[in-house]
Amino acid sequence: MKKLIKYLLLCVMTISLFGCTKEDNKDLLETIQERGTIIVGTEGTWSPWTYHDENDKLVGFDVEVMEAIAKKLGVECEFVVAEWDSLLAGVESGRFDIVANGVDIDEDRKTKYNFTVPYAYNRVALIVTKDNTTIQTFEDLDGKTTTNSLGSTYAKLAESYGATNTAVDDLNKTFELVLQGRADATLNAELSFYDYLKAHPEANLEVVDLTEEATQVALPLRKENTASLIEAINKAIEELSADGTLTAISNKYFGADITQQ
């Protein structure tokens, strides 16, 4: 009887182990297609990339790009709104399948995540108040204070020039801190700043410097079991670029085509 019990327990453990291994090794594309939805992490507070309109509907450049990609994959988008500093962690933990939030590719992120091909290109603007005479170039940031989302490309860039970054939750707060004199400057997407000015034409802010090269914006996924999904998304991005869909979405939200380098 003891031998029989041990044998049965061994069988149960083996089956459980096999089941877990099979699930862990399942390609994410297959999981998404079986589910019928792709779970997308996004901030929802960064106009015009991803934000809520006057009816509290989630809209924006990234929202429409992901919806167009999802249609190519034959699934629906399920957006989950979260703060910036939890988005990439959500991909690692499996909370999201992918993040669509104007994410720039950098060397550090490439070691942690798989990225699709770029679908947008973005120059970084150095933004200060119009009466600030001490900061005119990125080199002037040494010893100054800046404000951006924790762990963002912009915060890292500012720190590389010797600035001390104050972390905030969303784009509008970065501008508020600069206007209030609680930070000397902020770094952000050039087009996002001009979009902000459309809504706040009286804002005492200006761009004093721009990066020479544009950063590449892409979609990050976890490292494991995403090869097929990345291949499918890359194909979708290439098709949406070729047929003018990406250009049309960009012109709608930015008034310019940021999808071409």
Side-chain angles (χ1 to χ4, degrees), residues 24 28 31 33 44 55 61 69 84 90 103 117 131 148 157 181 208 215 224 227:
D24 289 344
L28 187 54
T31 300
Q33 289 176 331
N55 298 315
F61 174 71
I69 290 171
W84 162 256
V103 180
V117 295
D131 53 357
N148 278 107
L157 181 59
V208 291
T215 58
E224 301 80 16

Side-chain angles (χ1 to χ4, degrees), residues 12-29:
V12 170
M13 290 174 66
T14 302
I15 291 170
S16 298
L17 181 62
F18 176 77
C20 290
T21 303
K22 183 178 179 181
E23 183 64 28
D24 289 344
N25 290 329
K26 195 172 187 178
D27 190 272
L28 187 54
L29 176 60

Side-chain angles (χ1 to χ4, degrees), residues 138-234:
F138 287 101
E139 286 74 15
D140 294 332
L141 289 174
D142 189 20
K144 302 297 194 301
T145 58
T146 56
T147 177
N148 278 107
S149 300
L150 183 66
S152 68
T153 304
Y154 310 117
K156 292 178 182 178
L157 181 59
E159 289 167 350
S160 74
Y161 282 102
T164 300
N165 184 67
T166 298
V168 293
D169 296 333
D170 62 54
L171 177 67
N172 286 342
K173 287 181 181 178
T174 66
F175 298 132
E176 288 173 12
L177 262 61
V178 175
L179 288 167
Q180 294 165 4
R182 295 165 60 191
D184 297 313
T186 182
L187 280 62
N188 224 291
E190 177 187 11
L191 291 168
S192 292
F193 172 66
Y194 291 132
D195 183 72
Y196 173 83
L197 282 186
K198 288 179 184 176
H200 305 85
E202 76 293 343
N204 183 38
L205 296 169
E206 65 178 349
V207 172
V208 291
D209 203 1
L210 291 165
T211 53
E212 290 185 9
E213 294 185 6
T215 58
Q216 295 181 329
V217 179
L219 303 165
L221 302 90
R222 69 181 190 226
K223 282 284 189 180
E224 301 80 16
N225 310 317
T226 56
S228 295
L229 179 57
I230 287 176
E231 183 179 353
I233 292 176
N234 285 348

Side-chain angles (χ1 to χ4, degrees), residues 12 28 30 53 59 63 67 76 106-107 118 126 147 157 184 208 213 221 227 250:
V12 170
L28 187 54
E30 185 181 350
D53 66 12
V59 295
V63 174
E67 288 174 340
E76 299 288 331
D106 65 26
E107 292 305 315
L126 173 57
T147 177
L157 181 59
D184 297 313
V208 291
E213 294 185 6
L221 302 90
S250 179

Side-chain angles (χ1 to χ4, degrees), residues 250-261:
S250 179
N251 285 330
K252 175 180 177 180
Y253 286 100
F254 293 102
D257 187 5
I258 68 166
T259 68
Q260 305 296 320
Q261 195 167 19

